[in-house]
mmCIF file of all heavy atoms in Angstrom:
data_model
loop_
_atom_site.group_PDB
_atom_site.id
_atom_site.type_symbol
_atom_site.label_atom_id
_atom_site.label_comp_id
_atom_site.label_asym_id
_atom_site.label_seq_id
_atom_site.Cartn_x
_atom_site.Cartn_y
_atom_site.Cartn_z
ATOM 1 N N GLU O 1 87.127 -25.571 256.566
ATOM 2 C CA GLU O 1 87.731 -24.505 255.773
ATOM 3 C C GLU O 1 86.932 -23.192 255.849
ATOM 4 O O GLU O 1 87.443 -22.142 255.543
ATOM 5 C CB GLU O 1 87.967 -24.974 254.342
ATOM 6 C CG GLU O 1 86.667 -25.363 253.685
ATOM 7 C CD GLU O 1 86.503 -26.887 253.783
ATOM 8 O OE1 GLU O 1 86.800 -27.473 254.764
ATOM 9 O OE2 GLU O 1 85.906 -27.502 252.833
ATOM 10 N N ARG O 2 85.680 -23.284 256.251
ATOM 11 C CA ARG O 2 84.883 -22.043 256.362
ATOM 12 C C ARG O 2 85.418 -21.125 257.446
ATOM 13 O O ARG O 2 85.121 -19.897 257.497
ATOM 14 C CB ARG O 2 83.462 -22.424 256.633
ATOM 15 C CG ARG O 2 82.730 -23.193 255.556
ATOM 16 C CD ARG O 2 82.281 -22.352 254.416
ATOM 17 N NE ARG O 2 81.169 -21.500 254.842
ATOM 18 C CZ ARG O 2 80.752 -20.439 254.078
ATOM 19 N NH1 ARG O 2 81.314 -20.168 252.893
ATOM 20 N NH2 ARG O 2 79.752 -19.679 254.486
ATOM 21 N N SER O 3 86.160 -21.687 258.378
ATOM 22 C CA SER O 3 86.659 -20.921 259.486
ATOM 23 C C SER O 3 88.008 -20.158 259.124
ATOM 24 O O SER O 3 88.459 -19.324 259.916
ATOM 25 C CB SER O 3 86.935 -21.772 260.752
ATOM 26 O OG SER O 3 87.892 -22.727 260.481
ATOM 27 N N SER O 4 88.514 -20.450 257.968
ATOM 28 C CA SER O 4 89.741 -19.846 257.566
ATOM 29 C C SER O 4 89.432 -18.503 256.885
ATOM 30 O O SER O 4 88.632 -18.336 256.003
ATOM 31 C CB SER O 4 90.478 -20.707 256.480
ATOM 32 O OG SER O 4 91.481 -20.018 255.834
ATOM 33 N N TRP O 5 90.162 -17.457 257.344
ATOM 34 C CA TRP O 5 90.012 -16.122 256.744
ATOM 35 C C TRP O 5 90.333 -16.169 255.271
ATOM 36 O O TRP O 5 89.618 -15.513 254.503
ATOM 37 C CB TRP O 5 90.987 -15.131 257.530
ATOM 38 C CG TRP O 5 90.444 -14.659 258.872
ATOM 39 C CD1 TRP O 5 90.807 -15.212 260.033
ATOM 40 C CD2 TRP O 5 89.657 -13.544 259.133
ATOM 41 N NE1 TRP O 5 90.159 -14.538 261.088
ATOM 42 C CE2 TRP O 5 89.477 -13.468 260.525
ATOM 43 C CE3 TRP O 5 89.020 -12.618 258.297
ATOM 44 C CZ2 TRP O 5 88.682 -12.522 261.080
ATOM 45 C CZ3 TRP O 5 88.214 -11.596 258.907
ATOM 46 C CH2 TRP O 5 88.081 -11.576 260.315
ATOM 47 N N VAL O 6 91.365 -16.884 254.905
ATOM 48 C CA VAL O 6 91.818 -16.798 253.521
ATOM 49 C C VAL O 6 90.852 -17.604 252.600
ATOM 50 O O VAL O 6 90.411 -17.067 251.570
ATOM 51 C CB VAL O 6 93.246 -17.444 253.412
ATOM 52 C CG1 VAL O 6 93.608 -17.557 251.976
ATOM 53 C CG2 VAL O 6 94.265 -16.678 254.217
ATOM 54 N N VAL O 7 90.510 -18.838 253.039
ATOM 55 C CA VAL O 7 89.604 -19.672 252.112
ATOM 56 C C VAL O 7 88.232 -19.007 252.062
ATOM 57 O O VAL O 7 87.701 -18.873 251.008
ATOM 58 C CB VAL O 7 89.571 -21.073 252.627
ATOM 59 C CG1 VAL O 7 88.621 -21.960 251.822
ATOM 60 C CG2 VAL O 7 90.941 -21.746 252.666
ATOM 61 N N SER O 8 87.661 -18.701 253.218
ATOM 62 C CA SER O 8 86.348 -18.089 253.166
ATOM 63 C C SER O 8 86.375 -16.714 252.501
ATOM 64 O O SER O 8 85.385 -16.261 251.890
ATOM 65 C CB SER O 8 85.719 -18.012 254.595
ATOM 66 O OG SER O 8 86.469 -17.134 255.379
ATOM 67 N N GLY O 9 87.500 -16.023 252.633
ATOM 68 C CA GLY O 9 87.631 -14.752 251.976
ATOM 69 C C GLY O 9 87.668 -14.856 250.438
ATOM 70 O O GLY O 9 87.112 -14.058 249.745
ATOM 71 N N VAL O 10 88.290 -15.909 249.973
ATOM 72 C CA VAL O 10 88.303 -16.153 248.480
ATOM 73 C C VAL O 10 86.878 -16.468 248.028
ATOM 74 O O VAL O 10 86.436 -15.920 246.990
ATOM 75 C CB VAL O 10 89.239 -17.315 248.150
ATOM 76 C CG1 VAL O 10 89.029 -17.745 246.728
ATOM 77 C CG2 VAL O 10 90.682 -16.969 248.444
ATOM 78 N N ALA O 11 86.156 -17.280 248.791
ATOM 79 C CA ALA O 11 84.769 -17.516 248.496
ATOM 80 C C ALA O 11 83.917 -16.300 248.477
ATOM 81 O O ALA O 11 83.075 -16.099 247.608
ATOM 82 C CB ALA O 11 84.202 -18.557 249.414
ATOM 83 N N LEU O 12 84.130 -15.459 249.510
ATOM 84 C CA LEU O 12 83.291 -14.237 249.549
ATOM 85 C C LEU O 12 83.695 -13.324 248.375
ATOM 86 O O LEU O 12 82.787 -12.733 247.779
ATOM 87 C CB LEU O 12 83.634 -13.488 250.863
ATOM 88 C CG LEU O 12 82.968 -12.201 251.110
ATOM 89 C CD1 LEU O 12 81.430 -12.369 251.065
ATOM 90 C CD2 LEU O 12 83.340 -11.562 252.448
ATOM 91 N N ALA O 13 84.997 -13.166 248.036
ATOM 92 C CA ALA O 13 85.333 -12.327 246.942
ATOM 93 C C ALA O 13 84.812 -12.801 245.625
ATOM 94 O O ALA O 13 84.291 -12.056 244.767
ATOM 95 C CB ALA O 13 86.887 -12.243 246.848
ATOM 96 N N ALA O 14 84.831 -14.139 245.405
ATOM 97 C CA ALA O 14 84.322 -14.715 244.198
ATOM 98 C C ALA O 14 82.776 -14.525 244.092
ATOM 99 O O ALA O 14 82.277 -14.216 243.077
ATOM 100 C CB ALA O 14 84.633 -16.232 244.142
ATOM 101 N N ALA O 15 82.093 -14.688 245.228
ATOM 102 C CA ALA O 15 80.669 -14.490 245.227
ATOM 103 C C ALA O 15 80.307 -13.050 244.914
ATOM 104 O O ALA O 15 79.405 -12.740 244.032
ATOM 105 C CB ALA O 15 80.047 -14.986 246.559
ATOM 106 N N LEU O 16 80.961 -12.120 245.647
ATOM 107 C CA LEU O 16 80.653 -10.675 245.371
ATOM 108 C C LEU O 16 80.995 -10.271 243.991
ATOM 109 O O LEU O 16 80.268 -9.472 243.323
ATOM 110 C CB LEU O 16 81.384 -9.874 246.457
ATOM 111 C CG LEU O 16 80.832 -10.007 247.901
ATOM 112 C CD1 LEU O 16 81.687 -9.213 248.852
ATOM 113 C CD2 LEU O 16 79.343 -9.693 248.003
ATOM 114 N N GLY O 17 82.188 -10.797 243.520
ATOM 115 C CA GLY O 17 82.619 -10.418 242.182
ATOM 116 C C GLY O 17 81.614 -10.912 241.095
ATOM 117 O O GLY O 17 81.283 -10.176 240.188
ATOM 118 N N SER O 18 81.176 -12.119 241.280
ATOM 119 C CA SER O 18 80.177 -12.654 240.312
ATOM 120 C C SER O 18 78.877 -11.868 240.360
ATOM 121 O O SER O 18 78.301 -11.570 239.245
ATOM 122 C CB SER O 18 79.921 -14.192 240.620
ATOM 123 O OG SER O 18 81.057 -14.945 240.471
ATOM 124 N N VAL O 19 78.415 -11.525 241.526
ATOM 125 C CA VAL O 19 77.171 -10.743 241.618
ATOM 126 C C VAL O 19 77.365 -9.398 240.999
ATOM 127 O O VAL O 19 76.465 -8.880 240.288
ATOM 128 C CB VAL O 19 76.771 -10.638 243.071
ATOM 129 C CG1 VAL O 19 75.638 -9.636 243.236
ATOM 130 C CG2 VAL O 19 76.351 -11.992 243.642
ATOM 131 N N LEU O 20 78.526 -8.781 241.196
ATOM 132 C CA LEU O 20 78.806 -7.408 240.606
ATOM 133 C C LEU O 20 78.839 -7.508 239.104
ATOM 134 O O LEU O 20 78.207 -6.622 238.416
ATOM 135 C CB LEU O 20 80.131 -6.887 241.155
ATOM 136 C CG LEU O 20 80.521 -5.532 240.573
ATOM 137 C CD1 LEU O 20 79.512 -4.446 241.018
ATOM 138 C CD2 LEU O 20 81.933 -5.159 241.224
ATOM 139 N N VAL O 21 79.496 -8.473 238.535
ATOM 140 C CA VAL O 21 79.541 -8.621 237.061
ATOM 141 C C VAL O 21 78.078 -8.851 236.542
ATOM 142 O O VAL O 21 77.709 -8.297 235.508
ATOM 143 C CB VAL O 21 80.406 -9.817 236.674
ATOM 144 C CG1 VAL O 21 80.321 -10.040 235.199
ATOM 145 C CG2 VAL O 21 81.879 -9.506 237.006
ATOM 146 N N ALA O 22 77.289 -9.748 237.155
ATOM 147 C CA ALA O 22 76.011 -9.997 236.752
ATOM 148 C C ALA O 22 75.090 -8.760 236.821
ATOM 149 O O ALA O 22 74.231 -8.579 235.967
ATOM 150 C CB ALA O 22 75.366 -11.146 237.568
ATOM 151 N N ALA O 23 75.312 -7.975 237.872
ATOM 152 C CA ALA O 23 74.465 -6.756 238.022
ATOM 153 C C ALA O 23 74.720 -5.791 236.886
ATOM 154 O O ALA O 23 73.868 -4.965 236.575
ATOM 155 C CB ALA O 23 74.724 -6.163 239.407
ATOM 156 N N ARG O 24 76.053 -5.765 236.369
ATOM 157 C CA ARG O 24 76.348 -4.886 235.280
ATOM 158 C C ARG O 24 75.983 -5.463 233.915
ATOM 159 O O ARG O 24 76.203 -4.876 232.892
ATOM 160 C CB ARG O 24 77.856 -4.563 235.337
ATOM 161 C CG ARG O 24 78.211 -3.773 236.531
ATOM 162 C CD ARG O 24 79.733 -3.708 236.709
ATOM 163 N NE ARG O 24 80.331 -3.054 235.539
ATOM 164 C CZ ARG O 24 80.488 -1.779 235.408
ATOM 165 N NH1 ARG O 24 80.055 -0.932 236.394
ATOM 166 N NH2 ARG O 24 81.044 -1.248 234.335
ATOM 167 N N THR O 25 75.395 -6.696 233.912
ATOM 168 C CA THR O 25 74.962 -7.299 232.665
ATOM 169 C C THR O 25 73.465 -7.165 232.459
ATOM 170 O O THR O 25 72.718 -7.546 233.324
ATOM 171 C CB THR O 25 75.316 -8.818 232.645
ATOM 172 O OG1 THR O 25 76.744 -8.999 232.975
ATOM 173 C CG2 THR O 25 75.024 -9.464 231.299
ATOM 174 N N THR O 26 73.088 -6.549 231.420
ATOM 175 C CA THR O 26 71.710 -6.208 231.201
ATOM 176 C C THR O 26 70.853 -7.334 230.689
ATOM 177 O O THR O 26 69.603 -7.379 230.836
ATOM 178 C CB THR O 26 71.537 -4.970 230.251
ATOM 179 O OG1 THR O 26 72.116 -5.329 228.985
ATOM 180 C CG2 THR O 26 72.253 -3.805 230.830
ATOM 181 N N SER O 27 71.480 -8.401 230.136
ATOM 182 C CA SER O 27 70.725 -9.422 229.440
ATOM 183 C C SER O 27 69.790 -10.182 230.365
ATOM 184 O O SER O 27 68.709 -10.518 229.992
ATOM 185 C CB SER O 27 71.620 -10.364 228.659
ATOM 186 O OG SER O 27 72.509 -10.974 229.640
ATOM 187 N N TRP O 28 70.329 -10.429 231.509
ATOM 188 C CA TRP O 28 69.541 -11.241 232.551
ATOM 189 C C TRP O 28 68.274 -10.537 233.026
ATOM 190 O O TRP O 28 67.293 -11.196 233.332
ATOM 191 C CB TRP O 28 70.383 -11.668 233.731
ATOM 192 C CG TRP O 28 70.779 -10.529 234.653
ATOM 193 C CD1 TRP O 28 71.912 -9.837 234.512
ATOM 194 C CD2 TRP O 28 70.056 -9.994 235.726
ATOM 195 N NE1 TRP O 28 71.943 -8.825 235.487
ATOM 196 C CE2 TRP O 28 70.854 -8.924 236.244
ATOM 197 C CE3 TRP O 28 68.864 -10.262 236.356
ATOM 198 C CZ2 TRP O 28 70.422 -8.205 237.363
ATOM 199 C CZ3 TRP O 28 68.466 -9.553 237.441
ATOM 200 C CH2 TRP O 28 69.186 -8.516 237.938
ATOM 201 N N ARG O 29 68.297 -9.174 232.957
ATOM 202 C CA ARG O 29 67.138 -8.447 233.429
ATOM 203 C C ARG O 29 66.013 -8.433 232.431
ATOM 204 O O ARG O 29 64.892 -8.192 232.742
ATOM 205 C CB ARG O 29 67.535 -6.979 233.679
ATOM 206 C CG ARG O 29 68.363 -6.819 234.944
ATOM 207 C CD ARG O 29 68.452 -5.371 235.399
ATOM 208 N NE ARG O 29 69.179 -4.514 234.442
ATOM 209 C CZ ARG O 29 70.458 -4.247 234.552
ATOM 210 N NH1 ARG O 29 71.151 -4.783 235.509
ATOM 211 N NH2 ARG O 29 71.042 -3.442 233.707
ATOM 212 N N ARG O 30 66.301 -8.837 231.150
ATOM 213 C CA ARG O 30 65.324 -8.908 230.123
ATOM 214 C C ARG O 30 64.617 -10.273 230.094
ATOM 215 O O ARG O 30 63.654 -10.436 229.367
ATOM 216 C CB ARG O 30 65.931 -8.554 228.774
ATOM 217 C CG ARG O 30 66.468 -7.193 228.593
ATOM 218 C CD ARG O 30 66.715 -6.850 227.158
ATOM 219 N NE ARG O 30 67.749 -7.661 226.535
ATOM 220 C CZ ARG O 30 69.016 -7.259 226.487
ATOM 221 N NH1 ARG O 30 69.411 -6.036 226.962
ATOM 222 N NH2 ARG O 30 69.935 -8.022 225.969
ATOM 223 N N VAL O 31 65.141 -11.172 230.818
ATOM 224 C CA VAL O 31 64.567 -12.512 230.889
ATOM 225 C C VAL O 31 63.837 -12.701 232.192
ATOM 226 O O VAL O 31 64.436 -12.671 233.206
ATOM 227 C CB VAL O 31 65.692 -13.634 230.687
ATOM 228 C CG1 VAL O 31 64.986 -15.056 230.748
ATOM 229 C CG2 VAL O 31 66.426 -13.403 229.476
ATOM 230 N N PRO O 32 62.491 -12.857 232.181
ATOM 231 C CA PRO O 32 61.728 -12.872 233.470
ATOM 232 C C PRO O 32 62.179 -13.944 234.435
ATOM 233 O O PRO O 32 62.208 -13.756 235.662
ATOM 234 C CB PRO O 32 60.252 -13.153 233.006
ATOM 235 C CG PRO O 32 60.240 -12.617 231.580
ATOM 236 C CD PRO O 32 61.582 -12.869 230.975
ATOM 237 N N ALA O 33 62.573 -15.124 233.898
ATOM 238 C CA ALA O 33 63.066 -16.259 234.753
ATOM 239 C C ALA O 33 64.184 -15.822 235.640
ATOM 240 O O ALA O 33 64.220 -16.050 236.870
ATOM 241 C CB ALA O 33 63.412 -17.435 233.942
ATOM 242 N N THR O 34 65.282 -15.233 235.035
ATOM 243 C CA THR O 34 66.452 -14.889 235.829
ATOM 244 C C THR O 34 66.265 -13.582 236.564
ATOM 245 O O THR O 34 66.749 -13.458 237.710
ATOM 246 C CB THR O 34 67.657 -14.711 234.860
ATOM 247 O OG1 THR O 34 67.308 -13.833 233.785
ATOM 248 C CG2 THR O 34 68.052 -16.067 234.324
ATOM 249 N N ALA O 35 65.417 -12.670 236.035
ATOM 250 C CA ALA O 35 65.220 -11.423 236.757
ATOM 251 C C ALA O 35 64.362 -11.698 238.022
ATOM 252 O O ALA O 35 64.652 -11.201 239.126
ATOM 253 C CB ALA O 35 64.431 -10.451 235.883
ATOM 254 N N GLY O 36 63.302 -12.494 237.877
ATOM 255 C CA GLY O 36 62.472 -12.835 239.035
ATOM 256 C C GLY O 36 63.279 -13.622 240.086
ATOM 257 O O GLY O 36 63.055 -13.514 241.260
ATOM 258 N N LEU O 37 64.108 -14.628 239.558
ATOM 259 C CA LEU O 37 64.919 -15.402 240.507
ATOM 260 C C LEU O 37 65.832 -14.438 241.315
ATOM 261 O O LEU O 37 66.062 -14.705 242.568
ATOM 262 C CB LEU O 37 65.687 -16.393 239.696
ATOM 263 C CG LEU O 37 66.599 -17.390 240.502
ATOM 264 C CD1 LEU O 37 65.686 -18.214 241.440
ATOM 265 C CD2 LEU O 37 67.444 -18.253 239.657
ATOM 266 N N ALA O 38 66.425 -13.451 240.651
ATOM 267 C CA ALA O 38 67.283 -12.589 241.381
ATOM 268 C C ALA O 38 66.487 -11.801 242.495
ATOM 269 O O ALA O 38 67.033 -11.669 243.595
ATOM 270 C CB ALA O 38 67.916 -11.527 240.408
ATOM 271 N N VAL O 39 65.299 -11.311 242.206
ATOM 272 C CA VAL O 39 64.526 -10.616 243.217
ATOM 273 C C VAL O 39 64.200 -11.581 244.361
ATOM 274 O O VAL O 39 64.308 -11.219 245.528
ATOM 275 C CB VAL O 39 63.272 -10.067 242.566
ATOM 276 C CG1 VAL O 39 62.289 -9.496 243.651
ATOM 277 C CG2 VAL O 39 63.577 -9.009 241.493
#
C-alpha cells in the first residue's frame, strides 16, 4: 500500500497535519522531554 499515491498520500497528509498542529501548540515546548525529543 505504500506504493499507492492515494494511501501513501493520506499517510503523508496525516503526518504533516499532525506535525503542523503540534508545532502551533506551545505546551510541548515547555516540557523538556517532548521538546528535546522533537529536536
Side-chain angles (χ1 to χ4, degrees):
E1 56 268 34
R2 297 280 291 169
S3 64
S4 166
W5 282 92
V6 175
V7 177
S8 64
V10 170
L12 179 60
L16 293 177
S18 297
V19 171
L20 180 61
V21 171
R24 294 170 60 86
T25 305
T26 59
S27 60
W28 66 270
R29 290 196 291 268
R30 294 196 295 265
V31 180
T34 51
L37 182 63
V39 173

